[in-house]
Amino acid sequence: MESAHQGQEEMRNNGMTRRPRGIAPSGILYHPKSGDGIVMTAWCTRASVGETRVTFNLGVNRRRAETLDRDIRARLVGGQSVDAVKRHLMAQLGSAGAAEVLLPVTIAVPAVDSQGHIIATFRDLIRVRSTRALEAKGRVTRRYMMSLLNLVEDTLRVRVGKEPLDRSGRRVDYDDYAQILDLPLAVLDESLAVDFKDWRLRRARETKDNEWSTKVSANTEIRQARAVFGEEARGHYRSAGLRLPNLEEFFGVGFFKKVTRLRSPPHESVVRHLHAEFAKVSREPLFLTLALALHGGLRRGEIETAHSDCLQTTEGLSFIVGRSPGFETKSGDERTVPLPPWLFGRLQAKGHGFLTGATESARNQVADEAVTWLRHHGFEVIKKPLHGLRGIFAGYLLRRRNTADVLDILGHRDIRTTITHYSRRPLSEDLATLWEEPLPGVAAGTE
């Protein structure tokens, strides 16, 4: 154990970003996107159970954490369920090892509906969402549910005079919200949404944070929380026997107004430099990731799941986004994206497998590498660099096609999104021609 700890310390000192295995102090946890080390105090261990990787918090005492680690693994090997092991762990740790939790929350909300049926809890909702295919997959589904739990927990904490928990810098699981998981969904009413907006804005003014940014992030959290109850998802809930409360009041509270800001395209010199440097990329996974964003307008999740089965020629050389196994687009619909011949040939020569890596971890790593590459080539101030390339591609489309075509190619549900964010930012004619010429020195299917 001592040697493992020394190895982790060497990783941190050498600036390496590989995540440690086995028992590790949370001080060696790595941010999932940037790879930066984050210093914390508690110990944890990770174990693979089937296809799921579970994190167990082990408290602050290292010697005890080592003992608990061996105990946990013995119990899992012996066939105990993850829930049973976690209950045993909490009993062993007691209050000394447990993380800060909410004060007991008592809320006057109905647990049954007008017909006497028991209203589903947040725990019921998580159970159904984890066992059924919904309108969004993987990390997107998880993000929606986490936004809902954050919104509820933060607002309830403020109501009882406590500060919202700061969970930044560590992996958060559903068990971290244990104090609200058994609350009925009837807590989602008008007052909750109003209180959430009020405290977010009040906090921004007290801390002198940018109010515009606060409103944008609050709107995003509200929107993602409501996405948990999308039309298709509600159908799954009903078929699973969940009783949902009337959520009209919760959905009826409006978003913050006057937060829409037209995304300014990069300066023409930045676009030219980016295009020239992109042509010099020799590593194929990185090249294909950048190409699908810059010349196909694909979102990050769409790039990470891109598969050669998506290539087709019936409507010209194009890529059908949403045909990848086990993945659905943000809108839930497939869409056809035209590709330049050199890119189509490069993708076709890649073969049957995933375009950017054989495993999810490998694809995430390539996408992270693409983000780092973009920040070193003129996109350092853009919050989502890969999405920024999507905006540049939209600028090219607007120079060559009508707005309705651009909506279909980009996969927007509402034409107002296309008009508001993209319609006033077409590329100049000189820049648009860069998207119609073969890249210098780039041959289809070569390194």
Side-chain angles (χ1 to χ4, degrees):
M1 185 62 63
E2 196 65 34
S3 61
H5 181 66
Q6 291 173 355
Q8 291 155 5
E9 287 294 325
E10 291 174 4
M11 286 167 50
R12 178 167 57 180
N13 294 335
N14 294 335
M16 297 175 65
T17 59
R18 179 175 65 84
R19 296 187 183 185
R21 296 181 179 179
I23 184 171
S26 295
I28 314 296
L29 281 180
Y30 284 80
H31 191 278
K33 294 188 180 299
S34 69
D36 297 330
I38 302 168
V39 176
M40 297 181 71
T41 58
W43 290 74
C44 68
T45 188
R46 305 177 187 87
S48 295
V49 182
E51 297 181 355
T52 305
R53 199 174 190 191
V54 184
T55 299
F56 299 92
N57 293 322
L58 304 178
V60 297
N61 184 289
R62 179 183 173 188
R63 186 179 296 277
R64 193 178 190 193
E66 293 171 359
T67 302
L68 289 173
D69 175 54
R70 292 191 293 270
D71 186 21
I72 285 171
R73 296 182 186 282
R75 289 173 179 273
L76 291 174
V77 171
Q80 287 194 15
S81 68
V82 171
D83 288 340
V85 171
K86 285 187 174 181
R87 287 194 296 270
H88 169 75
L89 180 62
M90 290 303 296
Q92 293 297 311
L93 288 174
S95 59
E100 181 192 0
V101 295
L102 272 170
L103 291 173
V105 179
T106 55
I107 302 176
V109 294
V112 296
D113 61 19
S114 58
Q115 299 176 333
H117 296 115
I118 297 176
I119 295 175
T121 66
F122 291 98
R123 193 183 301 278
D124 296 329
L125 202 62
I126 292 171
R127 173 177 53 81
V128 173
R129 289 185 70 85
S130 65
T131 57
R132 292 177 177 265
L134 294 173
E135 75 284 352
K137 306 293 183 182
R139 289 178 302 168
V140 176
T141 298
R142 178 183 171 85
R143 186 167 65 244
Y144 290 167
M145 195 65 212
M146 287 300 184
S147 290
L148 177 65
L149 295 176
N150 278 329
L151 185 152
V152 174
E153 186 191 65
D154 288 351
T155 307
L156 296 184
R157 287 185 68 86
V158 171
R159 282 182 176 180
V160 297
K162 292 184 69 67
E163 286 293 312
L165 294 176
D166 181 8
R167 291 197 168 97
S168 61
R170 72 180 183 91
R171 181 176 176 79
V172 179
D173 206 346
Y174 293 133
D175 287 343
D176 291 296
Y177 299 92
Q179 292 295 312
I180 66 171
L181 293 184
D182 292 317
L183 287 175
L185 295 175
V187 71
L188 299 173
D189 58 11
E190 180 180 14
S191 65
L192 186 84
V194 170
D195 288 352
F196 172 77
K197 291 177 58 179
D198 286 347
W199 85 259
R200 288 293 297 269
L201 194 56
R202 184 171 65 251
R203 166 70 67 83
R205 290 169 177 168
E206 290 173 353
T207 59
K208 301 188 184 306
D209 290 339
N210 184 289
E211 283 192 24
W212 183 88
S213 297
T214 298
K215 291 179 179 179
V216 170
S217 62
N219 281 354
T220 299
E221 196 152 349
I222 294 172
R223 185 178 295 107
Q224 291 183 347
R226 291 176 179 174
V228 172
F229 303 99
E231 183 177 353
E232 186 176 352
R234 289 199 303 271
H236 286 296
Y237 302 152
R238 286 192 294 269
S239 66
L242 293 188
R243 289 285 178 172
L244 300 181
N246 186 339
L247 297 172
E248 290 183 4
E249 289 187 357
F250 179 67
F251 276 76
V253 175
F255 295 100
F256 283 111
K257 302 297 184 181
K258 298 181 180 179
V259 296
T260 301
R261 180 179 292 177
L262 182 65
R263 298 189 182 98
S264 301
H267 190 273
E268 181 171 321
S269 61
V270 174
V271 177
R272 289 188 181 279
H273 171 72
L274 182 71
H275 204 269
E277 292 300 316
F278 163 63
K280 301 175 184 177
V281 175
S282 59
R283 281 208 324 109
E284 189 167 66
L286 176 60
F287 177 86
L288 294 178
T289 298
L290 294 168
L292 286 170
L294 190 59
H295 290 267
L298 272 63
R299 300 179 177 94
R300 174 167 175 154
E302 296 166 350
I303 296 172
E304 291 181 358
T305 55
H307 197 276
S308 56
D309 286 348
C310 302
L311 297 173
Q312 62 98 32
T313 58
T314 55
E315 300 179 43
L317 303 180
S318 53
F319 187 93
I320 301 180
V321 182
R323 184 174 283 182
S324 302
F327 177 80
E328 291 184 17
T329 61
K330 186 176 181 180
S331 66
D333 301 322
E334 291 184 355
R335 70 180 192 275
T336 301
V337 175
L339 296 179
W342 60 264
L343 178 54
F344 186 91
R346 187 77 169 253
L347 296 175
Q348 195 174 46
K350 182 67 177 176
H352 182 72
F354 281 101
L355 299 173
T356 56
T359 65
E360 180 180 359
S361 176
R363 297 194 299 274
N364 288 340
Q365 184 175 353
V366 173
D368 290 342
E369 185 180 349
V371 169
T372 301
W373 186 92
L374 288 168
R375 293 197 187 283
H376 281 86
H377 290 86
F379 270 45
E380 66 277 357
V381 298
I382 296 180
K383 185 176 182 180
K384 296 182 178 180
L386 276 176
H387 212 75
L389 298 189
R390 175 176 162 86
I392 296 178
F393 178 67
Y396 159 69
L397 292 177
L398 289 164
R399 176 61 62 177
R400 296 289 185 257
R401 298 172 181 260
N402 61 49
T403 306
D405 286 343
V406 177
L407 175 143
D408 290 337
I409 294 173
L410 295 180
H412 293 152
R413 284 182 174 177
D414 193 330
I415 198 168
R416 287 176 296 183
T417 301
T418 311
I419 293 173
T420 301
H421 295 293
Y422 298 103
S423 64
R424 290 170 285 178
R425 50 179 294 178
L427 297 184
S428 68
E429 181 63 31
D430 289 343
L431 284 180
T433 58
L434 293 177
W435 269 253
E436 298 168 346
E437 300 172 355
L439 288 184
V442 174
T446 66
E447 287 292 333

